[in-house]
Amino acid sequence: MGHGVPELVLELNGRTWTLDPSRSYTLGRDPQGDVVIDDARVSWRHATVSWNGRSWVIEDHGSTNGTYVQGQRIHQMELGAGSAVHLGNATDGPRLNLTAAAAAAGAYNAPQPHQAAQQAWPGPQQAPQAPQAHQAPAAHQAHQAHQAPAQHQQGGWQNPPQAQQPHPHQQAQQPHIPHQQAGGAAAGAAPAYGDRSPTTFHQLALGRVMRIGRALENELVVSDLQVSRHHAEFTAHPDGRFELRDLGSHNGTYVNGQPIAKSGTVLIGPNDIVGVGHSTFRLVGDRLEEFVDTGEVSFSARHLTVTVDGGKQILKDVSFGVPEKSLIGVIGPSGSGKSTLLKALTGYRPADQGDVLYDNRSLYKQFAELRQRIGLVPQDDILHKELTVKKALGYAAKLRFPGDTAEAEREARIDEVLRELKLDIHKEKKVTSLSGGQRKRVSVALELLTKPSLIFLDEPTSGLDPGMDRDVMQLLRGLADDGRTVLVVTHSVAELALCDKLLVMAPGGSVAYFGPPEEALNFFGYETWADVFSAFENYRDYDWAGRWKGSQHYQLYAADIDAVAAQPVQMPVQSAAKPPKPQSWGAQLWTLVRRYVSVIASDKGFMALMVILPAVLGAVSVVIPADFGLAPPTPPSRFNGDAGTIMLILAVGMCFSGAANSVRELIKERVIYERERATGLSRSAYLMSKVIVLGLITALQGVIICGIGFATRELPADGLIMPPAVEICIVVIALGFTSMAVGLVISSLVKTAEKTMPLLVMFAIVQVVFTGILFKVYGSPGLEQFAWLMPSRWAIAGAGTTLDLAHLMPPWDHKNPTDLDPLWEHSAGQWGINITILLLMGVACCVLVARLLRRHEPEVMRK
């Protein structure tokens, strides 16, 4: 101790620390902290104790459940010998005693009554009381260390355990659902944050403007890559009105979860919650309170019910509360609604009844803002396997971060995530060359770029061997320990002990169990999960949900789920706007085009096929020995009948080639599109990137087909508008474009890539039939009109006008030589009509694809 500094000793649970004034001491559940407190009511990094040069000070770091001195919640307070501080609860939270150094020994030997209640976790010989069961999820190692056989002797499903009535004082403790602590919104605290203390305060001077943003020149600097450099500004008018104005931010400014118009303004009051990136703000008098979302958020499902057509319920009254910064496992047999539950929890497919609360805010009503704080890793990889790890993450960062984010800022965040997940040694490898477990890490890394507080994973260990299964689950355990809430749906039961809580779904979509994983088998009365799943199958009509709700586990872990109602949102309809996109439409398009080109360029086989296919199709047409000019006028015929056959081969070859380019492109990226769309991707920019890249490829193929097909042919001397070869080549390219658009329609309709090839073949064959070359199409009611729907009909017509195919081929009606196909009329006007209709068909197909893509987006985003 330095001279003049009073020697102070901190005592907790029988342990003492002599405080050094040259450093600060962190208190919380973080195993890396200085004073580690295994109690669910204590936040991850709850508070610090330090010497400020004048006195010892304890400072609360925005903890969920608060820091208390003499029953009063404090944010920062000076301490001295004899002080007592409670963490997490004003009466019986873990108690810190601060004493002079000379009295330290006495304090150690004679703990006070409150301290005795907070000492070591109960051993196997002790049957834990209700509060200890609540504390189990606080430290995953602690709840693995103690078992409670006495509490579960009636655990068999035939004889449900009776609910144990906790002590009245213990009943008030609810550490497993932090936002439901006593003294929430009703006590006059922040409406959306219960009694959570603000992270910081900002004084609003009347008549002054306070600007918020990432740049250092702002009055209120928010170091969050989701925030624009100059994001928004608060104005305190002299008449007492407070105005919020968006400064053209990329990710938007939100009031009560709803985006305000870009560069728009709105008046705010004390009940409004302003969202900027991971920070939220609230007016208290003339002061602006800031709450930074560092992961210390509650999350709960309230009576979720999903009903499909026919009235069948696939989710039935599912309710549970997730502790902050914990790992939750979800298991259940097939047909138990796990995937439906995941979609309901993430907002992809909101429940028909019930609500999902993120920090006591409705996810469904405020999805536009809260979606930025939720990460989702689907079962299939959400990245392009042809790219290297760093390049794949680089494109994702460009799409998700604001347009004013510097390249160095993105690179720094990518490197940070790669180091955290131990992927830095693999960053230059292609994703396809990684093992299954490593690919899953890359998918997780992509989601971690934006620092989500909640991460959901759907079957991340599917298809992995037991070793990789364990590695992935240990990765998720580490993510939770580092300050995130992780919920994983899995079929694997080998590593469930790593979870803090386990949700077991019963057939039919109801909850069969929610609580610590080590108590689950005892609850069901079986020794293995195979037995439990067999019981689900053998007793499908048994009321598993009723048994769960009648158990003591329900009283401990789920009975108080409705203790706090969701914070109502009041937002004028006229001030709401569409959710903004992180990047402008043009910036997204440019990034998507570059990424798509990189993906194609990295696939050498696909590039070779794109050149070989049109070359072969063009070469096939050369086999037919005929020219496009009139044959010598020698009896018995003056017609060149093979000219139509040559054009038929070229046209059908272009149909097949154009459609083959695109028929798999949307279905193979469907999972990637679904996830990126939820994070702000523009649907039209995504589709346009496909059209541009595939359109250029198809145009190149059209040139190859025509170049080979016409190289050895004699063409007419003059065209209608341009040289004949150019006119025909334009028609073939337009046919390829429309066929490519048809391929996109097919790709957006099918559910699996395997179904694309039969549809592709069928499309090509149908085009052969209705060209008007094989038989007479015009003049046949019904047949002629149906043929108008075929791209090949208009393409052959376009080429036919240039070649004067009506007079080059023998007439269908030999008795009436003037009976000619009207679409083959040898005129510039007819050529223009044919090519225009062909292109309009392609545009119509693209519009249809844009509508079909809506089916693969979160329902709350379908506008």
Side-chain angles (χ1 to χ4, degrees):
M1 289 288 177
H3 180 68
V5 178
E7 297 183 349
L8 201 64
V9 174
L10 185 150
E11 188 275 335
L12 170 72
N13 291 346
R15 293 190 61 194
T16 60
W17 292 261
T18 301
L19 304 185
D20 181 356
S22 65
R23 54 163 296 193
S24 62
Y25 293 78
T26 61
L27 289 66
R29 296 201 329 264
D30 185 357
Q32 305 301 319
D34 300 298
V35 181
V36 182
I37 306 168
D38 280 336
D39 191 299
R41 295 167 292 181
V42 177
S43 294
W44 193 252
R45 295 177 180 87
H46 194 103
T48 58
V49 176
S50 60
W51 175 257
N52 67 359
R54 183 180 67 254
S55 62
W56 289 98
V57 175
I58 185 167
E59 181 180 0
D60 185 284
H61 288 295
S63 64
T64 301
N65 298 316
T67 303
Y68 301 85
V69 175
Q70 296 181 349
Q72 299 298 316
R73 183 164 186 168
I74 59 101
H75 177 67
Q76 188 178 64
M77 185 173 181
E78 294 183 356
L79 300 172
S83 300
V85 179
H86 284 93
L87 305 181
N89 190 286
T91 56
D92 63 349
R95 173 170 167 163
L96 309 177
N97 288 307
L98 296 122
T99 60
Y108 176 82
N109 293 325
Q112 298 182 21
H114 280 291
Q115 296 167 277
Q118 295 298 331
Q119 291 188 9
W121 291 84
Q125 73 277 9
Q126 295 175 272
Q129 299 301 312
Q132 294 164 335
H134 285 301
Q135 293 168 359
H140 143 96
Q141 299 88 347
H143 72 53
Q144 284 181 319
H146 74 280
Q147 302 292 330
Q151 194 178 15
H152 307 290
Q153 289 174 353
Q154 302 176 15
W157 66 269
Q158 300 92 341
N159 188 11
Q162 298 301 314
Q164 177 182 343
Q165 296 299 324
H167 189 277
H169 181 64
Q170 299 167 345
Q171 214 165 10
Q173 301 180 26
Q174 300 169 3
H176 62 299
I177 307 177
H179 71 276
Q180 295 180 5
Q181 295 293 333
Y193 292 90
D195 54 1
R196 177 175 301 168
S197 296
T199 308
T200 52
F201 304 95
H202 307 278
Q203 198 69 31
L204 284 172
L206 293 179
R208 298 292 298 275
V209 175
M210 177 181 288
R211 191 170 52 183
I212 303 174
R214 204 173 71 247
L216 297 178
E217 60 264 24
N218 292 285
E219 288 79 9
L220 202 164
V221 179
V222 180
S223 57
D224 179 359
L225 286 182
Q226 294 287 82
V227 177
S228 298
R229 292 183 59 79
H230 300 98
H231 197 103
E233 63 183 20
F234 285 97
T235 303
H237 292 284
D239 58 4
R241 294 180 301 117
F242 292 93
E243 186 180 74
L244 172 68
R245 183 163 75 97
D246 181 85
L247 298 178
S249 63
H250 295 83
N251 276 322
T253 305
Y254 300 83
V255 176
N256 299 327
Q258 306 302 315
I260 65 175
K262 204 163 190 174
S263 302
T265 60
V266 64
L267 293 177
I268 59 172
N271 294 323
D272 293 323
I273 301 169
V274 177
V276 175
H278 285 82
S279 296
T280 47
F281 301 88
R282 182 172 62 98
L283 275 175
V284 179
D286 60 351
R287 188 174 65 179
L288 196 65
E289 295 186 346
E290 179 182 4
F291 301 82
V292 179
D293 186 348
T294 58
E296 293 179 339
V297 296
S298 58
F299 185 79
S300 61
R302 305 284 183 92
H303 307 290
L304 299 182
T305 299
V306 174
T307 305
V308 295
D309 295 338
K312 180 182 178 181
Q313 290 185 339
I314 52 180
L315 274 190
K316 297 180 181 177
D317 194 26
V318 175
S319 296
F320 62 94
V322 176
E324 65 179 46
K325 299 182 179 180
S326 58
L327 176 59
I328 311 299
V330 180
I331 64 171
S334 298
S336 59
K338 299 188 299 298
S339 296
T340 303
L341 174 63
L342 192 65
K343 291 179 180 179
L345 293 176
T346 55
Y348 271 61
R349 199 288 188 193
D352 300 308
Q353 300 175 33
D355 205 354
V356 175
L357 301 187
Y358 177 100
D359 212 20
N360 202 29
R361 302 170 66 185
S362 172
L363 175 65
Y364 297 160
K365 294 179 181 178
Q366 306 185 42
F367 183 80
E369 176 189 354
L370 297 180
R371 65 177 180 173
Q372 302 178 34
R373 309 187 191 184
I374 295 177
L376 173 63
V377 181
Q379 183 173 349
D380 298 322
D381 293 326
I382 50 176
L383 33 80
H384 293 86
K385 299 178 182 178
E386 301 86 355
L387 302 178
T388 64
V389 171
K390 189 164 186 178
K391 186 173 287 188
L393 294 181
Y395 284 122
K398 287 179 181 178
L399 291 173
R400 298 193 182 195
F401 289 145
D404 60 4
T405 306
E407 183 73 22
E409 292 177 297
R410 287 196 299 266
E411 292 287 335
R413 179 58 188 155
I414 292 171
D415 290 339
E416 181 183 351
V417 171
L418 290 175
R419 286 194 301 271
E420 181 181 358
L421 298 184
K422 299 180 175 59
L423 287 169
D424 45 341
I425 60 175
H426 302 296
K427 63 183 180 181
E428 299 302 334
K429 295 180 181 177
K430 285 189 176 183
V431 176
T432 188
S433 68
L434 302 178
S435 66
Q438 290 169 341
R439 283 202 303 271
K440 193 58 64 176
R441 281 178 179 265
V442 178
S443 293
V444 173
L446 191 153
E447 291 301 310
L448 291 185
L449 289 173
T450 53
K451 297 185 177 180
S453 301
L454 287 170
I455 302 178
F456 295 88
L457 299 100
D458 187 10
E459 300 287 355
T461 61
S462 178
L464 302 183
D465 60 52
M468 289 185 178
D469 180 359
R470 180 179 58 195
D471 290 344
V472 171
M473 291 300 292
Q474 287 177 341
L475 165 68
L476 303 183
R477 176 72 256 169
L479 293 178
D481 291 339
D482 286 340
R484 306 173 184 91
T485 296
V486 183
L487 188 145
V488 54
V489 175
T490 179
H491 276 111
S492 174
V493 296
E495 304 297 333
L496 293 180
L498 290 171
C499 299
D500 294 304
K501 289 286 181 63
L502 181 64
L503 176 67
V504 182
M505 300 294 292
S510 58
V511 177
Y513 174 83
F514 180 71
E518 71 273 10
E519 300 176 12
L521 286 174
N522 200 13
F523 172 83
F524 288 107
Y526 292 99
E527 295 184 357
T528 67
W529 283 108
D531 294 332
V532 175
F533 280 33
S534 294
F536 283 151
E537 181 64 29
N538 296 332
Y539 303 96
R540 297 187 71 89
D541 295 331
Y542 183 77
D543 187 9
W544 296 99
R547 178 186 180 278
W548 155 242
K549 292 181 179 179
S551 70
Q552 62 181 354
H553 285 77
Y554 179 80
Q555 298 298 323
L556 292 175
Y557 304 115
D560 53 2
I561 192 68
D562 296 317
V564 177
Q567 172 65 22
V569 175
Q570 295 181 351
M571 183 68 184
V573 176
Q574 64 270 20
S575 62
K578 285 187 177 182
K581 298 174 176 60
Q583 302 273 339
S584 67
W585 189 89
Q588 284 194 4
L589 176 63
W590 177 236
T591 299
L592 290 167
V593 167
R594 289 171 57 200
R595 183 177 70 177
Y596 195 26
V597 170
S598 297
V599 170
I600 292 176
S602 64
D603 190 344
K604 308 302 181 186
F606 181 67
M607 291 184 64
L609 184 62
M610 286 190 301
V611 175
I612 294 173
L613 178 62
V616 170
L617 293 173
V620 168
S621 68
V622 178
V623 176
I624 302 175
D627 291 319
F628 292 105
L630 290 174
T634 56
S637 172
R638 69 181 192 87
F639 297 105
N640 187 350
D642 290 332
T645 305
I646 296 171
M647 282 309 308
L648 175 65
I649 293 174
L650 293 177
V652 174
M654 193 68 248
C655 279
F656 185 84
S657 185
N661 290 337
S662 61
V663 77
R664 290 177 177 265
E665 294 308 293
L666 297 183
I667 181 63
K668 75 178 185 181
E669 289 187 358
R670 181 162 297 172
V671 176
I672 299 175
Y673 172 75
E674 288 177 356
R675 183 65 195 122
E676 290 184 342
R677 177 64 177 150
T679 61
L681 179 71
S682 167
R683 182 196 312 139
S684 58
Y686 174 78
L687 178 58
M688 187 58 66
S689 71
K690 299 294 183 188
V691 171
I692 290 175
V693 176
L694 293 175
L696 291 175
I697 292 172
T698 304
L700 176 62
Q701 291 177 327
V703 171
I704 294 174
I705 286 180
C706 292
I708 296 176
F710 299 154
T712 60
R713 305 292 185 188
E714 178 186 346
L715 293 173
D718 298 314
L720 298 171
I721 302 174
M722 296 166 281
V726 176
E727 287 185 3
I728 297 175
C729 190
I730 290 175
V731 170
V732 171
I733 291 174
L735 175 61
F737 169 79
T738 301
S739 300
M740 177 268 295
V742 172
L744 290 176
V745 172
I746 295 173
S747 191
S748 62
L749 282 172
V750 298
K751 293 184 178 181
T752 62
E754 289 74 16
K755 295 179 180 178
T756 58
M757 291 310 296
L759 292 175
L760 173 63
V761 173
M762 182 182 70
F763 168 72
I765 291 176
V766 170
Q767 300 310 304
V768 175
V769 176
F770 293 98
T771 55
I773 295 291
L774 298 180
F775 60 91
K776 180 182 176 181
V777 173
Y778 65 93
S780 302
L783 180 65
E784 180 179 13
Q785 287 70 32
F786 183 77
W788 289 346
L789 300 176
M790 301 296 120
S792 61
R793 169 69 169 144
W794 296 100
I796 290 295
T801 56
T802 297
L803 298 172
D804 195 12
L805 207 57
H807 294 94
L808 196 62
M809 291 179 60
W812 295 111
D813 186 354
H814 298 283
K815 298 180 180 179
N816 184 12
T818 61
D819 184 21
L820 305 176
D821 193 327
L823 298 187
W824 294 1
E825 179 186 339
H826 187 60
S827 67
Q830 187 60 50
W831 184 89
I833 292 174
N834 293 337
I835 196 74
T836 300
I837 293 177
L838 186 57
L839 290 173
L840 287 176
M841 292 178 69
V843 172
C845 287
C846 291
V847 173
L848 177 60
V849 173
R851 301 296 297 174
L852 292 172
L853 283 175
R854 294 175 66 252
R855 302 183 306 160
H856 310 297
E857 301 172 1
E859 288 192 10
V860 293
M861 294 185 66
R862 298 178 189 175
K863 298 183 183 295

